[in-house]
Amino acid sequence: MQGNFSYHNPTKLYFGDESLNYLKDELTHFGPVVLLNYGSGSVKRNGIYDQVVAILREAGKTIVENPGVMSNPTLEKLREGVKIACENKVDWILALGGGSVCDYSKAVAASVFYDGDYWDKFWLKQEQPDADQKLLPVGCILTMAGTGSEMNAGTVITDAEHTFKVGHVFDDRLMPKFSILNPKFTMTVPDNQMKAGIYDIINHIMEQYFSDFDDNTSDYLSEGLMRSLITASRIAVKNPQDYEARSNIMWTATWALNTLIGLGKRQDWMVHMIGHSVGAWTHAPHGYALAAVSMAYYRRAMKPGLSKFVRFAQNVWNIDGNGMTDEQIAEAGIEALKNWMLEIGLPLTISEIGATPDMIPGITQGTICYPAGYMNLTPADITEILKESL
Ligand code: NZQ
Ligand code: ZN
């Protein structure tokens, strides 16, 4: 295992179908005024909102509501949340929703007490809050599995005016103080969002796995997580109400992106860079945008990353490889990934999610490029990948 690193993840997790019971105890650690962020209404329809509000009220909290946090939250909505938080002098933030609401809550928490232009400082310049800047604490009640936002400091925000989607990973001061993960809460997630979440999870793992060639414990963990996800996804698409499968998906999502499996790894993240730009142009679910560019991307990465793709084929997809060349084994692994994506109903092209050839220059321009994984792509390469993904 190469590299030097430190590891600290301060998020306390409560997992399982009784995990909401722990909210009451958690509330004793936070102030009286809570900003309750949630999305476009699913939590009201499925009853989770009522359960949470009852617990908050019983604990005597003053609830400041901020509904309407959209999927792929926008800068405009961020500004609105910051204003609400300031005006109501909230003590902390409770995110009730999927990755979008969790990301958004951390973004508001980072921005409320910053006097300057927070968009410019945190997202465009990628700076961290100063050591003496006050930050609001955030807690999450997660309703959808996918992003890992419940146990990381990532915040992805879309500047809709400029069709630009960009993430910022804050330092661990912005990690949720606690997250409640009840797999039953994910049972009402629409079919397409469940599948998008599943692809997001495997892609988070792949983004970390497909870098470096050293023997690293992180890669063994990644392979185990991918195997668990593949098994659970096959069950969940057939029977979305299967608790065991949904609980494994939810737990895998958290471990896929809570920084553990990236330790000692250079990591890649170019599928995400391209996918974010595709998402900004198409408004597709995040995981769909990733799936749609993955085939072209990984076929290109296979050559410079050959031995790792061989390992992926053998350890994740059980490709025997007897009598095959390394290239054939690696290719069979990518083919297995593709077949699984088809089996569970994921898009394989950007046309399927509404991208058109005339968008390609804009998507290319919005893609942040850097040396990553096994490749050092230029904007011209991104254009090629997008054309191959049409
Ligand atoms: O708006 P509501 O009513 O909440 O409905 C949501 C939304 O329409 C719905 N949903 C969520 N839980 C539900 C439910 N519907 C019924 N029952 C439930 N229990 O599902 C839709 C999608 O939700 P969203 O939160 O947008 O999805 P996801 O969790 O995939 O989050 C996507 C956002 O996270 C960012 C993405 O870029 C995107 O903006 N990411 C954050 C990351 C991080 N923090 O590290 C990393 C990821 O790579 C990703 O970029
Ligand atoms: Zn993702």
Side-chain angles (χ1 to χ4, degrees), residues 71-137:
S71 200
N72 308 314
T74 62
L75 174 57
E76 197 187 0
K77 182 69 185 170
L78 171 60
R79 295 200 196 288
E80 193 186 310
V82 169
K83 197 160 166 271
I84 295 171
C86 282
E87 284 172 358
N88 292 279
K89 296 189 170 49
V90 305
D91 297 304
W92 64 291
I93 300 176
L94 184 58
L96 177 57
S100 292
V101 179
C102 294
D103 274 21
Y104 173 83
S105 298
K106 288 178 261 179
V108 173
S111 304
V112 172
F113 296 106
Y114 182 64
D115 286 336
D117 180 348
Y118 43 80
W119 174 246
D120 182 63
K121 181 177 171 72
F122 301 139
W123 286 274
L124 298 183
K125 295 207 177 94
Q126 296 281 314
E127 292 174 9
Q128 295 295 345
D130 295 339
D132 58 356
Q133 195 207 300
K134 196 177 162 199
L135 306 163
L136 286 175

Side-chain angles (χ1 to χ4, degrees), residues 292-352:
V293 299
S294 282
M295 276 302 126
Y297 183 85
Y298 287 116
R299 285 197 194 286
R300 190 175 278 245
M302 209 165 66
K303 210 171 166 196
L306 186 63
S307 63
K308 196 54 166 290
F309 281 84
V310 169
R311 179 172 164 170
F312 175 68
Q314 292 178 322
N315 293 358
V316 178
W317 299 102
N318 299 322
I319 307 291
D320 179 342
N322 230 340
M324 293 160 78
T325 64
D326 280 357
E327 284 76 10
Q328 287 168 334
I329 298 170
E331 180 61 40
I334 294 295
E335 205 53 28
L337 171 67
K338 181 180 154 186
N339 289 336
W340 169 76
M341 290 168 75
L342 284 170
E343 180 188 334
I344 68 167
L346 288 162
L348 290 179
T349 62
I350 56 174
S351 313
E352 289 167 73

Side-chain angles (χ1 to χ4, degrees), residues 40 42 71-72 99-100 103 143 152 165 185 188 204 272 276 286:
S40 58
S42 64
S71 200
N72 308 314
S100 292
D103 274 21
T143 63
N152 70 38
K165 182 175 182 180
F185 288 175
T188 53
H204 291 160
H272 269 68
H276 279 168
H286 169 64

Side-chain angles (χ1 to χ4, degrees), residues 20-341:
L20 190 61
N21 295 345
Y22 294 95
L23 177 60
K24 189 170 163 249
D25 295 340
E26 271 301 328
L27 293 181
T28 60
H29 304 306
F30 301 97
V33 185
V34 56
L35 179 69
L36 181 62
N37 291 333
Y38 56 95
S40 58
S42 64
V43 290
K44 289 203 166 165
R45 291 189 294 277
N46 59 23
I48 301 171
Y49 171 90
D50 285 342
Q51 293 179 55
V52 170
V53 165
I55 297 168
L56 291 172
R57 289 218 176 107
E58 202 177 312
K61 302 291 180 192
T62 302
I63 304 169
V64 177
E65 298 226 5
N66 181 23
V69 179
M70 64 290 286
S71 200
N72 308 314
T74 62
L75 174 57
E76 197 187 0
K77 182 69 185 170
L78 171 60
R79 295 200 196 288
E80 193 186 310
V82 169
K83 197 160 166 271
I84 295 171
C86 282
E87 284 172 358
N88 292 279
K89 296 189 170 49
V90 305
D91 297 304
W92 64 291
I93 300 176
L94 184 58
L96 177 57
S100 292
V101 179
C102 294
D103 274 21
Y104 173 83
S105 298
K106 288 178 261 179
V108 173
S111 304
V112 172
F113 296 106
Y114 182 64
D115 286 336
D117 180 348
Y118 43 80
W119 174 246
D120 182 63
K121 181 177 171 72
F122 301 139
W123 286 274
L124 298 183
K125 295 207 177 94
Q126 296 281 314
E127 292 174 9
Q128 295 295 345
D130 295 339
D132 58 356
Q133 195 207 300
K134 196 177 162 199
L135 306 163
L136 286 175
V138 175
C140 295
I141 299 172
L142 191 68
T143 63
M144 156 153 180
T147 64
S149 187
E150 65 275 13
M151 205 183 185
N152 70 38
T155 54
V156 184
I157 301 294
T158 298
D159 176 356
E161 198 188 329
H162 298 100
T163 328
F164 182 56
K165 182 175 182 180
V166 61
H168 178 55
V169 181
F170 284 93
D171 59 50
D172 56 18
R173 289 175 291 166
L174 261 304
M175 283 189 182
K177 301 298 172 213
F178 70 89
S179 285
I180 291 176
L181 279 59
N182 182 342
K184 279 202 173 152
F185 288 175
T186 69
M187 299 286 192
T188 53
V189 169
D191 189 60
N192 67 331
Q193 292 290 352
M194 178 184 77
K195 291 170 178 172
I198 289 169
Y199 193 76
D200 193 22
I201 300 166
I202 200 163
N203 196 252
H204 291 160
I205 304 170
M206 292 166 74
E207 296 272 30
Q208 296 164 90
Y209 182 77
F210 285 119
S211 63
D212 309 310
F213 294 106
D214 59 321
D215 189 37
N216 185 330
T217 302
S218 296
D219 289 334
Y220 295 87
L221 293 171
S222 292
E223 287 162 357
L225 290 172
M226 284 190 272
R227 292 172 74 98
S228 170
L229 180 69
I230 293 160
T231 303
S233 67
R234 286 182 162 137
I235 299 166
V237 292
K238 286 205 187 95
N239 178 14
Q241 300 306 310
D242 188 301
Y243 179 85
E244 192 172 55
R246 298 303 287 264
S247 64
N248 280 322
I249 291 170
M250 194 172 210
W251 192 226
T252 304
T254 302
W255 286 92
L257 197 49
N258 70 358
T259 73
L260 179 81
I261 62 166
L263 295 177
K265 304 229 22 142
R266 210 160 61 93
Q267 310 186 25
D268 189 330
W269 296 105
M270 274 311 296
V271 170
H272 269 68
M273 294 304 109
I274 307 170
H276 279 168
S277 194
V278 169
W281 281 81
T282 61
H283 309 290
H286 169 64
Y288 275 16
L290 304 175
V293 299
S294 282
M295 276 302 126
Y297 183 85
Y298 287 116
R299 285 197 194 286
R300 190 175 278 245
M302 209 165 66
K303 210 171 166 196
L306 186 63
S307 63
K308 196 54 166 290
F309 281 84
V310 169
R311 179 172 164 170
F312 175 68
Q314 292 178 322
N315 293 358
V316 178
W317 299 102
N318 299 322
I319 307 291
D320 179 342
N322 230 340
M324 293 160 78
T325 64
D326 280 357
E327 284 76 10
Q328 287 168 334
I329 298 170
E331 180 61 40
I334 294 295
E335 205 53 28
L337 171 67
K338 181 180 154 186
N339 289 336
W340 169 76
M341 290 168 75

